[in-house]
């Protein structure tokens, strides 16, 4: 299980970036995203991508982030530009259940202590979306992007020169 916890989500300011965090998590091999602030519109946007392009992928908003972190049985990774460079730490991060924490605004000091690893995707400021994508790509040994999705309404067929999209015939129980 790979889950992402997005902390500090502010509506409407972070709506677009948090959507990108969730879609990047899904596309790069994570199973779920948890967002601290309740945001039904964000849930609907992500769920509509899952309906159209497939899952499984879960989004939950309005979560108690402390409970999620404290109750997490696997490894907790906090992505921060102040952490250990990913190249120096990736070998020590065990494979298994992981919770990846990304902030929206400046995160409380508590996160640095609650996490098992504070990991920098380079020690320069950039974006939580970029940080998450690079981390997942490295952590999954490039396999995250090959994740198979199922149950979607449509599927993209890779095409070097144009768009090919096929409709899936999925029987759904109402
Ligand atoms: N200004 C805030 C601060 O310094 O704490 C954070 C703003 S940053 C746009 C939002 C999130 O992006 C951070 O909480 C972190 O998760 C992620 N991030 C940005 N640069 C990063 C880096 N070089 N390595 C890992 N994560 C990074």
């Amino acid at each position: 299980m790979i889950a992402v916890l997005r902390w500090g989500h502010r509506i409407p300011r972070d709506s677009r970036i948090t959507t990108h965090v969730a879609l990047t998590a899904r596309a790069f091999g994570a199973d779920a995203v948890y967002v601290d602030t309740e945001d039904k519109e964000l849930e609907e946007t992500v769920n509509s991508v899952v309906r159209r392009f497939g899952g499984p992928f879960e989004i939950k908003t309005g979560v108690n982030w402390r409970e999620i972190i404290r109750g997490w049985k696997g490894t907790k990774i906090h992505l921060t530009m102040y952490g250990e460079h990913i190249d120096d730490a990736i070998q020590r991060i065990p494979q298994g259940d992981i919770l990846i924490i990304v902030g929206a605004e400046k995160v409380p000091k508590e996160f640095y202590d609650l996490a098992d690893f504070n990991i920098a995707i380079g020690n320069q400021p950039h974006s939580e979306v970029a940080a998450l994508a690079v981390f997942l790509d490295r952590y999954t040994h490039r396999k995250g992007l090959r994740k198979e999705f199922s149950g979607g309404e449509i599927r993209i067929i890779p095409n070097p020169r144009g768009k090919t999209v096929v409709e899936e015939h999925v029987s759904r129980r109402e």
Side-chain angles (χ1 to χ4, degrees), residues 79-82 101-107 119-122 124-128 131:
L79 295 183
T80 166
M81 65 178 170
Y82 304 106
I101 303 159
V102 293
E105 51 180 317
K106 194 174 186 329
V107 305
I119 298 291
I121 308 300
Q124 300 296 324
H126 48 80
S127 149
E128 48 274 53

Side-chain angles (χ1 to χ4, degrees), residues 146-163:
R146 292 277 180 194
K147 180 175 168 179
E148 298 276 342
F149 294 94
S150 61
E153 294 164 354
I154 56 176
R155 183 163 49 94
I156 294 170
I157 309 290
N159 179 341
R161 230 176 252 288
K163 301 182 191 173

Side-chain angles (χ1 to χ4, degrees), residues 51 153 170-174:
R51 268 196 305 278
E153 294 164 354
V170 184
S171 59
R172 282 211 167 74
R173 269 196 217 140
E174 292 301 321

